[in-house]
């Protein structure tokens, strides 16, 4: 009897020791899903901000859409809320078209032609172009504000419009890990009302930033902004940047690892426009917003995250997306500068 109890005790201790490493590593690993759930619940009922309406089709998008997705470099997806609804990618596309130019023409091409400095002005500021040209004497803007983004689009090479467009759409699709398509209603709505961007395109041409065919550059830029994405698409795109250019879900090396730091640097400098400094101060994360309501953010080597929620603040950045991403990243130790 005594020896049987002894055997049972030994078996129990052995089983506990065998389980120990699993429990320890599970305890040490950050609980991604809990962080995502907590931020989702905290901001679920927030109705702060309002949809962009300077593009008429965006005013009609359901303001209640709220989806969060986080993807790790090993391809695991953590999510909460609406992953099905799609919004137009808008300015988040600027990151990937900039990256395409870096891939094809090198990182210097972006710095020399457009610049990589914050403008401190709104994303569609014409004054920023005048200031760069007259006061600063050249390429002193960046590819994440409209003048720089339209110029990036003009730098994607191709013999025909169709060839340039295919390169841009395929590149975005490789980042997302699925074939993306365009929301034609949003494309038409913006194309019908984008006289300001047309003026910016002409100005960039007049000053020699755009070398030829500014109308085509604005048209393709407008189409890239209408690419339709859900929260998971955006998170996989962000995670591909977090994973040194390799899509963690498909395994495809989408861009050169060597060019990723420059992409992230421009996102850190200008991803949330004139609020980029504040954002970086609180999160440390390279990020990019779009007036469709999406924001992506990248914690290099740790995760890519995206939130979609169409209500924006005055700077044009989604209110709930900023709050949810900041909370989740801070809970997971995502700030690359430490803490
Ligand atoms: O060019 C525009 O105004 C829009 N297609 C994109 C602007 C945008 O997303 C600014 N983002 N926060």
């Amino acid at each position: 009897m005594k020896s049987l109890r002894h055997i049972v005790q030994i078996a129990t201790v052995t089983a506990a020791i065998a389980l120990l490493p699993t429990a320890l590593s599970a305890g040490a690993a950050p609980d991604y899903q809990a962080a995502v759930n907590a931020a989702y619940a905290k901001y679920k009922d927030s109705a702060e901000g309002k949809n962009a309406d300077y593009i008429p089709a965006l005013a009609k998008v359901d303001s209640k859409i709220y989806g969060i997705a986080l993807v790790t470099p090993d391809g695991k997806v953590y999510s909460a809320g609406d992953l099905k609804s799609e919004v137009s990618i808008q300015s988040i596309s600027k990151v990937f078209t900039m990256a395409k130019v870096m891939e094809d023409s090198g990182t210097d091409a972006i710095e020399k032609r457009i610049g990589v400095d914050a403008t401190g002005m709104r994303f569609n500021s014409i004054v920023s172009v005048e200031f760069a040209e007259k006061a600063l004497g050249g390429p002193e803007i960046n590819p994440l504000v409209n003048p720089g983004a339209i110029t990036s689009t003009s730098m994607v090479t191709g013999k025909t419009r169709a060839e340039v467009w295919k390169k841009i759409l395929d590149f975005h699709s490789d980042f997302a890990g699925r074939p993306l398509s365009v929301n034609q209603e949003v494309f038409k709505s913006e194309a019908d009302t984008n006289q300001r961007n047309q003026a910016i395109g002409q100005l960039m041409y007049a000053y020699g930033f755009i070398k030829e065919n500014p109308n085509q550059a604005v048209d393709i830029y407008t189409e890239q902004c209408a690419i339709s994405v859900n929260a998971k698409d955006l998170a996989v795109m962000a995670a591909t940047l977090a994973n040194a250019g390799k899509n963690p879900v498909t395994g495809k090396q989408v861009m050169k690892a060597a060019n990723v730091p420059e992409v992230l640097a421009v996102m850190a400098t200008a991803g949330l426009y004139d609020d980029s400094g504040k954002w970086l101060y609180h999160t440390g994360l390279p990020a990019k917003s779009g007036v469709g309501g999406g924001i992506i953010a990248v914690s290099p080597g740790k995760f890519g995250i995206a939130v979609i929620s169409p209500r924006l603040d005055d700077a044009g950045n989604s209110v709930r997306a900023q709050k949810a991403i900041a909370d989740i990243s801070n809970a997971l130790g995502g700030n690359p500068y430490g803490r």
Side-chain angles (χ1 to χ4, degrees):
M1 201 55 200
K2 201 176 174 188
S3 68
L4 181 61
R5 197 164 56 232
H6 188 65
I7 289 167
V8 170
Q9 274 172 349
I10 289 174
T12 309
V13 170
T14 311
I17 288 171
L19 282 173
L20 202 54
T22 319
L24 280 181
S25 62
D31 192 340
Y32 293 99
Q33 190 58 54
V36 167
N37 290 346
Y40 179 76
K42 187 168 168 191
Y43 302 113
K44 191 169 179 307
D45 298 322
S46 156
E48 220 184 305
K50 69 181 198 46
N51 282 34
D53 56 7
Y54 74 100
I55 299 169
L58 298 188
K60 295 195 297 183
V61 172
D62 180 1
S63 319
K64 294 198 187 70
I65 295 171
Y66 180 36
I68 303 179
L70 181 150
V71 179
T72 50
D74 56 1
K76 291 204 180 71
V77 181
Y78 303 88
S79 63
D82 187 345
L83 292 197
K84 287 222 173 76
S85 294
E86 297 188 3
V87 296
S88 50
I89 190 168
Q90 296 300 337
S91 283
I92 299 170
S93 67
K94 292 167 176 167
V95 170
F96 302 97
T97 299
M98 166 182 73
K100 181 66 185 157
V101 174
M102 289 178 176
E103 286 295 281
D104 292 351
S105 307
T107 52
D108 279 2
I110 288 286
E111 185 178 11
K112 291 204 173 105
R113 178 85 74 87
I114 299 169
V116 289
D117 272 319
T119 62
M121 296 182 208
R122 282 190 68 74
F123 60 84
N124 56 4
S125 169
I126 288 172
V127 173
S128 70
V129 179
E130 288 294 311
F131 187 70
E133 177 67 13
K134 299 278 163 25
L136 304 172
E140 291 283 349
I141 51 176
N142 67 73
L144 301 185
V145 290
N146 291 11
I150 294 167
T151 305
S152 291
T153 301
S154 81
M155 293 168 75
V156 177
T157 55
K159 284 192 212 69
T160 60
R161 185 202 187 284
E163 204 180 307
V164 175
W165 170 246
K166 184 173 171 358
K167 276 191 191 173
I168 291 175
L169 184 63
D170 286 353
F171 201 59
H172 282 72
S173 298
D174 281 347
F175 270 93
R178 73 169 182 116
L180 298 174
S181 58
V182 168
N183 180 324
Q184 292 298 334
E185 189 198 345
V186 172
F187 178 30
K188 182 168 182 346
S189 177
E190 183 164 0
D192 287 346
T193 54
N194 68 347
Q195 288 72 25
R196 189 182 178 97
N197 281 345
Q198 291 173 36
I200 289 172
Q202 293 295 336
L203 192 59
M204 296 307 273
Y205 181 54
Y207 287 150
F209 294 100
I210 293 178
K211 300 294 177 198
E212 57 183 3
N213 213 343
N215 293 340
Q216 175 175 295
V218 174
D219 188 45
I220 297 178
Y221 161 81
T222 309
E223 188 164 8
Q224 82 184 36
C225 287
I227 291 173
S228 197
V229 284
N230 60 38
K232 187 187 158 200
D233 293 328
L234 288 177
V236 175
M237 295 170 97
T240 301
L241 292 172
N243 193 34
K246 184 176 183 178
N247 186 313
V249 176
T250 64
K252 180 169 179 174
Q253 189 72 43
V254 177
M255 69 176 291
K256 295 180 198 96
N259 291 342
V260 172
E262 279 83 352
V263 172
L264 298 180
V266 183
M267 290 169 73
T269 305
L272 267 69
Y273 306 113
D274 37 335
D275 278 350
S276 298
K278 263 184 260 168
W279 170 261
L280 203 62
Y281 192 76
H282 290 291
T283 66
L285 297 181
K288 184 71 202 86
S289 64
V291 289
I295 297 186
I296 61 169
V298 178
S299 180
K302 290 191 175 160
F303 57 80
I305 184 169
V307 175
I308 290 178
S309 173
R311 291 195 186 97
L312 312 179
D313 64 14
D314 289 344
N317 301 315
S318 166
V319 177
R320 273 197 295 204
Q322 289 176 79
K323 290 182 176 171
I325 293 173
D327 275 19
I328 294 167
S329 176
N330 291 337
L332 298 177
N335 188 329
Y337 300 117
R339 195 186 300 131

